[in-house]
Amino acid sequence: MGVIRKKTASRGSEGGIKCICDVCSVDITSTVHIRCAHEACHEYDLCVPCFSNAASSPIHDPATHPYQVIEQNSVPIFTEDWGADEEMLLLEGAELYGLGSWADIADHIGGYRTKDEVRDHYIDTYVNSSRFPLPELASPDEPPLLRNTTREEFQARKKRRIEERKEAAKAAQPTTPKQKPTASVPACHDIQGYMPGRLEFEAEFANDAEDAVQHMQFDPGDGVNPRTKEMDPDMELKMTVMDIYNSRLTARVERKKVMFEHHLLEYKKNTAAEKKRSKEERELVNKCKPLGRATSHSDYDDLCGGVLHELNLRQAIGQLQEWRQNGLADLKSGERFEVERQQRLQRAQSSAHPFERLATSRASKATPPVEMPSASAALTAPELPHRLPRSGSSLGNGSPVGGVGVGDDAASAISQANDGSSMTPQLNGTAPRSTALQPLPNVQPLRFDGDSNVAPPADWHLLTKDEQQLCSTLRLYPKPYLVIKEQLMKEAMKTGGVLKKKVVKEICRLDPIKAHRLFDFCVNSGWIVKG
């Protein structure tokens, strides 16, 4: 096998081996020419007129040097569309540049042959031959292809093909050359050491597996003792090492297959989905990850979804049982119980150790809310009776959950749970969703009940109980709240009832947290639609 040489010529040209007359410098590639056969003249070519005129040079003496006539073997021998000269250039290019460098071999052949065309011809003619490594028509006893076509006809087809591809190459848009990277670094920096162009990692599984076989040699005739016809112990050891190496390669491929099938390389997407889960859900998913190697991606997603749904159901059942033990009879009371418990925890944290050195700095920081699993909290929301009939599920045989029925009177049960009624019309006739408001961090709500000595404002009765709770939480008095509400309704009528948080913030001119709470209250009440 010859030394592999890398070709640096431009692609898509006529290419091929060029023959130039060493006397007059005329291109004699496609014509019959004379080559000096003397050892002093290496690849010394002459055109027919120069040879006829006995042209000489300091190294070439036409009177004493032997010569040979070089003609173009442009005749088909193995296939009807490839000549003998192209077959010779194909084998010569494969020896020079190595099998697989089809672009370099195509440039070596010339004639506007493409790399795909050269690769397919080599595989069909040589590799897939029943006489491998020889072609089908390699035997001298086979009838030549010139019986079906003449030399002139074949050369005319070749010339016509070259002219057509030359015109197509001229009409094609010039391709911009690829810029060579300044450094060989992975293109995906989110995954450490992953190179997507090669589908490999800088540190593979069993990265030192090649060290055991890198100096191993297999010579022809080795392995079997000619006298005993048994395998040598040295060869048995080599084959055992090769089996171990192949098993490590198989394990490496299987691990890559798991990563690609389960989309583990989509780092940003997986991280965003991981952040949306609670702590318990993340721990449960991490325990299920080893099962992903034995299941497909869809089955693994179904498994994780079912396990997380079971976790949410168990948490919701535990929440409902706790409410029942505390004497709560409906979901509305249970949600108020959770809000008041969170308020007690916040007051306990803010009042603990008031005389410490860093008490003031700790009190100025916002108290983080208690982490509640969103999926399980949705199962105990007050609007649960509206959702269950739509999904076709029920708890038991129509039995009520927390004192609220799940039958046809679910809407009336919810309407009875709401003590006040809103005078603002709802969009599309949807009923308002009453949700308990979370208290603001380090903000004491307004209290106008019997426990406090502050008398309620004169226009406090104009608000519904939900609006009174909102104003108390946000520390808003009725008059400013009604003005803000009027402006929001006017702006909503202009935009068809759709408003964005940014617009509400500009209209309210309140603290961003208060503006967002007010926006969420209007959306849940059905007055506006979130834009």
Side-chain angles (χ1 to χ4, degrees):
M1 184 174 181
V3 179
I4 296 177
R5 297 186 299 181
K6 191 64 179 175
K7 190 173 180 63
T8 58
S10 60
R11 309 295 185 195
S13 59
E14 188 174 358
I17 302 299
K18 299 293 184 181
C19 293
I20 305 298
C21 179
D22 291 322
V23 176
C24 62
S25 301
V26 175
D27 187 4
I28 53 177
T29 303
S30 302
T31 59
V32 178
H33 56 277
I34 309 299
R35 174 167 295 180
C36 181
H38 196 271
E39 58 183 7
C41 301
H42 178 66
E43 294 185 357
Y44 191 88
D45 298 322
L46 294 173
C47 62
V48 175
C50 292
F51 177 77
S52 302
N53 297 329
S56 62
S57 65
I59 62 174
H60 176 67
D61 185 8
T64 58
H65 286 189
Y67 64 91
Q68 57 182 354
V69 179
I70 304 298
E71 61 176 343
Q72 296 299 313
N73 297 319
S74 185
V75 291
I77 54 175
F78 299 146
T79 59
E80 295 182 356
D81 56 342
W82 279 69
D85 53 345
E86 293 177 317
E87 298 287 354
M88 295 174 61
L89 292 174
L90 169 61
L91 299 178
E92 181 181 352
E95 183 179 2
L96 288 175
Y97 306 110
L99 288 177
S101 302
W102 303 114
D104 295 333
I105 298 175
D107 292 340
H108 184 79
I109 297 174
Y112 289 92
R113 293 286 188 184
T114 62
K115 61 178 183 179
D116 296 334
E117 186 179 5
V118 174
R119 182 193 62 228
D120 296 341
H121 174 73
Y122 182 84
I123 294 176
D124 296 339
T125 305
Y126 297 93
V127 178
N128 296 335
S129 174
S130 60
R131 299 179 180 180
F132 177 81
L134 298 177
E136 294 287 350
L137 303 180
S139 176
D141 298 334
E142 296 289 341
L145 292 178
L146 285 178
R147 291 183 178 181
N148 301 328
T149 181
T150 61
R151 179 191 296 265
E152 291 76 12
E153 183 181 355
F154 176 79
Q155 293 180 352
R157 291 203 307 265
K158 180 179 178 181
K159 182 178 180 180
R160 185 166 55 252
R161 174 178 55 82
I162 293 176
E163 293 296 333
E164 292 177 356
R165 298 190 178 183
K166 184 183 296 185
E167 294 296 331
K170 291 181 180 179
Q173 297 181 355
T175 58
T176 57
K178 295 183 178 180
Q179 298 293 334
K180 185 177 180 180
T182 56
S184 178
V185 296
C188 182
H189 296 282
D190 296 330
I191 306 299
Q192 183 66 29
Y194 176 64
M195 295 168 284
R198 300 172 56 182
L199 299 179
E200 294 179 354
F201 294 86
E202 287 186 349
E204 294 281 355
F205 172 75
N207 200 36
D208 55 348
E210 287 77 8
D211 295 342
V213 297
Q214 61 179 346
H215 300 298
M216 191 177 297
Q217 294 181 357
F218 293 90
D219 297 329
D222 290 349
V224 180
N225 193 333
R227 292 180 300 175
T228 61
K229 302 299 182 180
E230 295 180 356
M231 185 174 293
D232 295 337
D234 188 19
M235 181 59 64
E236 291 181 356
L237 178 60
K238 288 183 178 180
M239 297 304 298
T240 303
V241 174
M242 289 300 300
D243 292 339
I244 297 174
Y245 174 65
N246 291 330
S247 64
R248 292 182 178 179
L249 292 183
T250 303
R252 183 184 299 176
V253 172
E254 290 177 354
R255 280 162 171 78
K256 283 185 180 180
K257 182 180 178 182
V258 171
M259 297 189 67
F260 296 148
E261 184 178 0
H262 291 275
H263 310 293
L264 299 182
L265 297 178
E266 298 178 0
Y267 175 76
K268 294 182 179 179
K269 181 179 179 181
N270 295 335
T271 304
E274 195 78 11
K275 291 180 179 179
K276 295 180 180 179
R277 299 190 179 105
S278 62
K279 181 180 178 180
E280 294 82 3
E281 292 176 347
R282 287 194 295 267
E283 293 177 354
L284 194 58
V285 170
N286 290 333
K287 292 180 181 179
C288 295
K289 284 182 179 180
L291 300 176
R293 297 181 58 182
T295 58
S296 61
H297 181 61
S298 58
D299 293 342
Y300 177 74
D301 287 345
D302 295 341
L303 173 64
C304 292
V307 171
L308 293 178
H309 185 61
E310 180 185 0
L311 174 65
N312 296 326
L313 287 176
R314 290 180 180 274
Q315 292 177 346
I317 291 173
Q319 188 85 0
L320 294 173
Q321 290 176 349
E322 182 183 2
W323 292 351
R324 180 64 60 87
Q325 291 175 1
N326 290 313
L328 304 179
D330 54 16
L331 299 176
K332 184 74 173 180
S333 302
E335 188 170 1
R336 291 178 180 175
F337 171 76
E338 293 297 331
V339 172
E340 292 176 357
R341 180 166 62 178
Q342 187 174 358
Q343 292 176 354
R344 289 193 298 270
L345 291 175
Q346 291 181 356
R347 287 196 298 268
Q349 292 177 2
S350 60
S351 61
H353 306 288
F355 300 105
E356 284 187 358
R357 181 180 178 182
L358 302 178
T360 56
S361 61
R362 184 174 63 251
S364 61
K365 296 181 180 179
T367 303
V370 180
E371 184 177 1
M372 293 286 292
S374 58
S376 61
L379 296 173
T380 58
E383 61 270 15
L384 180 65
H386 283 290
R387 186 174 64 255
L388 287 178
R390 182 168 58 251
S391 60
S393 60
S394 61
L395 298 177
N397 299 324
S399 59
V401 179
V404 181
V406 196
D408 298 334
D409 299 331
S412 60
I414 290 298
S415 61
Q416 292 174 3
N418 297 329
D419 298 328
S421 60
S422 174
M423 299 300 295
T424 307
Q426 277 70 39
L427 295 175
N428 301 327
T430 57
R433 294 179 298 172
S434 176
T435 58
L437 296 174
Q438 301 291 336
L440 296 177
N442 300 323
V443 176
Q444 188 67 24
L446 293 176
R447 292 187 178 276
F448 301 111
D449 49 10
D451 298 336
S452 61
N453 297 326
V454 182
D459 46 4
W460 187 253
H461 66 282
L462 298 177
L463 308 179
T464 63
K465 288 194 174 182
D466 291 338
E467 291 177 328
Q468 291 176 2
Q469 183 182 1
L470 173 67
C471 293
S472 176
T473 304
L474 303 183
R475 296 187 65 87
L476 285 177
Y477 282 88
K479 286 185 179 180
Y481 167 74
L482 293 175
V483 173
I484 293 174
K485 179 180 177 182
E486 182 182 2
Q487 295 296 327
L488 290 178
M489 294 302 105
K490 289 182 180 179
E491 188 67 24
M493 292 179 64
K494 295 179 183 179
T495 58
V498 180
L499 285 181
K500 296 183 179 180
K501 281 189 177 182
K502 181 179 179 181
V503 178
V504 175
K505 181 180 176 182
E506 293 175 355
I507 296 176
C508 297
R509 296 182 181 180
L510 297 174
D511 183 77
I513 300 179
K514 294 183 178 181
H516 292 170
R517 293 289 181 88
L518 183 60
F519 175 78
D520 294 337
F521 178 80
C522 294
V523 173
N524 293 331
S525 299
W527 301 342
I528 61 176
V529 177
K530 185 177 181 180

